[in-house]
Every structure is written in C-alpha cells, then in structure tokens.
Amino acid sequence: MFRAYSGSRLLLRLVGILLIFAIIGMIINQVYMSIIVGCIALLGWHYRQITRLNYWLWKDRKLTPPQGTGSWEGIFNGIYRLQGKNRRRVGQLASILGRFRQGAEALPDAAVVLDSELNILWCNKLAQLLLGFVWPQDSGQRIDNLIRHPDFSAYLKSGKFNEPLELPSPLSDQRLLEIRLMSYGDRQMLLIARDITRINQLEGMRKEFVANVSHELKTPLTVLQGYLEIMQSMEEPDSMNHKPLKLMQQQTRRMQSMVEQLLVLSRIEDGADIDLEKTINMQVMLDILKDEASALAMDQYQLEFICEDNLNCHGNEVQLRSACTNLISNAIRYTEPGGKITIRWELVPSGAKFCVTDTGLGIAPHHISRLTERFYRVDNARSSKTGGSGLGLAIVKHALNHHYSELHITSELEKGSCFSFIIPAHLVIKG
C-alpha cells in the first residue's frame, strides 16, 4: 500500500497530468497557456481536498475521513489507518486502567492518587468510607484541605515519609488510621490509609492484661517465697525435704524475676512520650553498672570498662540503665567462668556507642533476628540453668526505640558475641 503513494509515483503522476495539458496546448497552439491553466486547475483540486480535510477535522462528526482520490487517497487512507491504531491503543489503555481500578477497589486499604502538588487525582471507594471523600466532586482538591488534622499537615510539610502516621479518622475520633505516603511515577504520590482501630485495641488489651497479671502475681509469689524460706529454716540439712524446698525456692525466685521484668517491660511500652531533654550523667551511671556487674560476676570473670570522659546524652535514665544492665547481665550469664566481658562507651561519627563484648558460647546466625522477641530463647535448657526469662532483650529493644536507637548483634559460635547500640548525635553531649 505504501508503494502506491511513494514520492516517485506521485511525481510521475504529476508529470503525466502536465504532459496531457501540454499535448492539449500543442493541439490548440497554446502550450504555455494550457500548462498554466492545468496548474491552476490542479491547485484548485488540491485546495478542494484540503477544504474537505479541514471540514472533517473541525466540523464533521463522522469517525471516518472523506474518501480521497488521486494523490490525496494515500493521505486519507493513512489518517484512517492511524485512527484505527489509536482506537485500539485507547481500548488497550482503557482496559488496563479498568483492571487497575478494579485492583485498587479490591485493596483492603483506602488508596488515593496525588499529583506533585498534593492534589487528588483518584481515590477508591474505601477512601470515601474511611476519609470521607466525595468522588468525583473532590477531584483536584488538595489533600490537606480535606484532612485538616495538625499532625497530618506537619507530616506533609516534613517530607519524611519513611514511617507511617497514626491519626483519627476525619469521620470519627473513635477510629484510628495508619497513613503512608509513597512516591512513584512522574512526581506522583500514593496515599494508603488503613484502619488499625481493632489492632490498637487488641494491643492495648494485651498490655493491660500483661500488666494486671504481672501485678496480681507479685503478691502471691512474695507470700509463697516467704513461707518457703520459713520451711527451709525449719528443716535439717540432711532432711529429704531440703532439696525439694531449695528447688522450689529457686523456681519461685525465677518466677518473681520474670514478673518484675514483665512489669518493667509494660512500663517502658507505656512510656512512649519520654522526656528527651533530661541529661544523663553517663559516668555516674557506668560507675553504678560497674559495681552491679562486679557483684554479679563474683570475681569469676574478667570485667573491663572503657568509658570516654565527659560523654553524656539526653534521655530517660531509668530506661537506658535498664537496657545497659540487661546487656551486661546477659553477657555474664551466658559466658563460662573465667571469660572476659568488655564494656565500652565511646564517641563515634554517628553518635555515642555503648558496646558489650563477651567471650561466651556465641549465638547461631538463625537465632539473631529473633532474640528481641518476648520469651524467645536460643536454648531452653541453658536458659533454665542460668535463670533467663527471655524478656531482657525485649526490654532493651523498647527502651532503645524511645531513644531513636536499635540493638545491633554480632556473634560467632564458641567465640563470643557483641551487643551494641548507638545513641544518635542529636542526643549526645560532649564536653
């Protein structure tokens, strides 16, 4: 088809037409005049075709272009062919868009597409139910004009969307939403809102249950331990009841320690809004930790404290001390007598680093990612022997979260472990 409208064929056709007019001119003895008339007639015919095309483009409602003849046949047929391609392409795009919208409607979360100016381009039905949007009336509206919560406005201005934002639903203060913002495509953003009311309620119930049970267990355990001590004092050393009473006393103390740690964990979890303006004198705190570690080690371990002078930080002293105490006691508990434990507090480029290194049994790599889970134990037999509850590192994790830090663990079997965390530079005081 393309060859029929090639430049050489069109040129031959033009030469043929002019040759016909030239022959007519030779017959009537007016060659030049005949060629001029032929050119004018040819121009008029072309102008007529242009007029037809212009009328079809701007006024005619027909989808197909007018029927062309001569050299214009290729133009009209080409336009018709392009129309067919565009219709098929539009159909494909409409099908893809339809599938995308169906998928977005099937999401269990509210989804809102925003442009670079945070104007709403599209939202699914769940966004209308959770956020109160009215579609399509709200199309083109800025998102912060519809969600008028101060925390949300501050979240948008910060431009830091790595962490989700929790705020009440615009429709009900009783419903809690988790909002995430993600950039994609050509400066567009996707807002995802999830209803976490039920999850938040369950988490609150769990914390309340743990705190209440731990508190209620504390009194009966104290009474039980008291009576066991009385019974032990009444028994003769060679009595058959002496060993069972001793084991019962050990397990009672272990349960009491677990209850106390559960209470500490509950207090740390509830203390999310801690005052980070208070200054912690790390030298004084490390001196206390050194005395506690020496008492726990009972001269069976080599303890080395390396503390940088005049290096303090902002934070909650009770929580940070609890984290450090748990790391040091774990190192002593899981290191064989005669081993070495090194505690460092030093300045690093990203802040101040607290590090506890031991020469203990070490931890297999597949256990490391789960060590901060509640009640998780690498070896139940070893934990029972040492009195571990599986709560110490969970306490460390939550305490460090409140100080914008996290626990780093490196370990090698039979060679020892290193537990460390870095207090970020904006909380560090040097000098």
Side-chain angles (χ1 to χ4, degrees):
M1 179 64 72
F2 175 74
R3 291 179 180 178
Y5 309 120
S6 63
S8 58
R9 287 179 177 269
L10 293 175
L11 181 60
L12 287 175
R13 185 178 296 178
L14 177 60
V15 171
I17 293 172
L18 293 178
L19 186 59
I20 291 172
F21 278 99
I23 293 171
I24 294 173
M26 291 173 64
I27 295 173
I28 62 175
N29 202 22
Q30 294 287 335
V31 177
Y32 292 111
M33 184 58 68
S34 179
I35 292 175
I36 291 172
V37 171
C39 289
I40 293 173
L42 192 60
L43 286 173
W45 180 78
H46 280 293
Y47 181 76
R48 168 62 180 164
Q49 301 303 320
I50 292 172
T51 303
R52 292 176 64 203
L53 179 61
N54 189 61
Y55 177 80
W56 173 74
L57 289 172
W58 295 99
K59 295 183 180 180
D60 199 353
R61 296 184 179 179
K62 294 180 181 179
L63 294 177
T64 57
Q67 185 67 33
T69 57
S71 58
W72 283 89
E73 183 180 3
I75 296 174
F76 289 142
N77 288 342
I79 292 174
Y80 184 72
R81 184 167 172 267
L82 287 175
Q83 272 189 321
K85 283 185 176 180
N86 288 335
R87 279 197 294 269
R88 287 192 295 273
R89 191 173 299 170
V90 169
Q92 292 172 353
L93 291 175
S95 177
I96 293 172
L97 183 60
R99 289 197 296 270
F100 165 77
R101 288 188 173 181
Q102 288 175 359
E105 293 293 353
L107 287 174
D109 305 324
V112 184
V113 179
L114 308 171
D115 62 14
S116 59
E117 301 296 328
L118 300 178
N119 298 316
I120 299 174
L121 299 179
W122 179 83
C123 69
N124 63 358
K125 290 181 180 178
L126 203 53
Q128 302 172 47
L129 296 175
L130 292 181
L131 301 173
F133 294 168
V134 180
W135 190 259
Q137 286 84 342
D138 289 336
S139 177
Q141 292 283 340
R142 272 185 64 93
I143 187 73
D144 50 355
N145 288 338
L146 300 178
I147 303 178
R148 295 178 173 273
H149 197 282
D151 292 345
F152 183 69
S153 298
Y155 185 63
L156 292 178
K157 290 179 181 178
S158 69
K160 298 177 181 178
F161 308 130
N162 295 329
E163 296 295 329
L165 172 69
E166 294 183 7
L167 76 164
S169 168
L171 299 179
S172 173
D173 291 337
Q174 303 300 319
R175 179 176 289 179
L176 186 65
L177 302 180
E178 180 186 79
I179 292 180
R180 291 179 178 271
L181 273 171
M182 295 158 283
S183 300
Y184 77 99
D186 185 17
R187 295 185 301 171
Q188 289 186 326
M189 303 195 75
L190 179 65
L191 182 145
I192 298 292
R194 175 175 297 176
D195 189 346
I196 59 170
T197 306
R198 182 61 178 167
I199 297 174
N200 191 64
Q201 290 173 347
L202 291 173
E203 182 67 14
M205 290 170 62
R206 181 193 64 78
K207 291 180 181 179
E208 186 177 354
F209 172 78
V210 171
N212 289 340
V213 169
S214 302
H215 184 74
E216 293 298 325
L217 284 174
K218 195 171 183 181
T219 301
L221 281 174
T222 303
V223 174
L224 182 60
Q225 188 176 10
Y227 277 108
L228 285 172
E229 289 176 355
I230 294 172
M231 293 173 68
Q232 274 184 307
S233 64
M234 295 172 61
E235 293 291 332
E236 297 294 332
D238 57 349
S239 171
M240 62 181 297
N241 294 327
H242 182 74
K243 185 176 180 180
L245 287 172
K246 183 179 179 181
L247 290 174
M248 291 170 66
Q249 181 77 330
Q250 289 176 351
Q251 295 303 316
T252 304
R253 287 172 180 168
R254 184 181 171 202
M255 289 180 64
Q256 194 169 29
S257 174
M258 189 180 297
V259 167
E260 289 174 356
Q261 285 192 313
L262 279 170
L263 288 171
V264 170
L265 183 58
S266 297
R267 285 195 297 269
I268 291 176
E269 284 183 329
D270 291 338
D273 299 326
I274 64 172
D275 185 5
L276 293 178
E277 296 298 323
K278 291 185 178 180
T279 301
I280 304 174
N281 189 324
M282 292 299 296
Q283 184 65 57
V284 173
M285 191 176 84
L286 286 166
D287 288 340
I288 297 173
L289 292 175
K290 187 175 182 179
D291 293 338
E292 292 177 352
S294 299
L296 191 61
M298 295 186 295
D299 297 326
Q300 297 181 9
Y301 301 88
Q302 301 178 46
L303 296 178
E304 183 181 12
F305 276 77
I306 302 172
C307 178
E308 188 165 334
D309 295 332
N310 300 319
L311 182 60
N312 301 316
C313 67
H314 293 294
N316 184 285
E317 184 173 354
V318 174
Q319 292 190 16
L320 207 56
R321 180 180 168 185
S322 177
C324 296
T325 300
N326 274 288
L327 293 181
I328 295 172
S329 62
N330 276 354
I332 296 174
R333 185 179 293 118
Y334 297 111
T335 300
E336 295 293 334
K340 182 178 180 181
I341 291 97
T342 304
I343 298 94
R344 293 178 178 272
W345 171 250
E346 58 189 354
L347 190 67
V348 294
S350 55
K353 182 177 181 180
F354 182 85
C355 177
V356 178
T357 307
D358 63 58
T359 58
L361 301 175
I363 306 164
H366 63 277
H367 289 298
I368 291 178
S369 61
R370 300 191 60 190
L371 286 178
T372 55
E373 295 179 9
R374 293 178 180 87
F375 302 109
Y376 184 80
R377 297 174 179 177
V378 174
D379 185 344
N380 287 331
R382 185 175 70 176
S383 296
S384 298
K385 182 180 178 181
T386 58
S389 63
L391 290 170
L393 293 183
I395 292 173
V396 174
K397 174 186 175 181
H398 285 84
L400 295 182
N401 284 342
H402 295 162
H403 293 81
Y404 303 99
S405 182
E406 59 182 15
L407 183 64
H408 297 278
I409 306 170
T410 57
S411 184
E412 190 173 349
L413 286 174
E414 307 301 332
K415 291 189 177 180
S417 307
C418 177
F419 292 77
S420 64
F421 62 85
I422 297 176
I423 300 297
H426 70 276
L427 294 178
V428 174
I429 306 171
K430 177 62 178 173

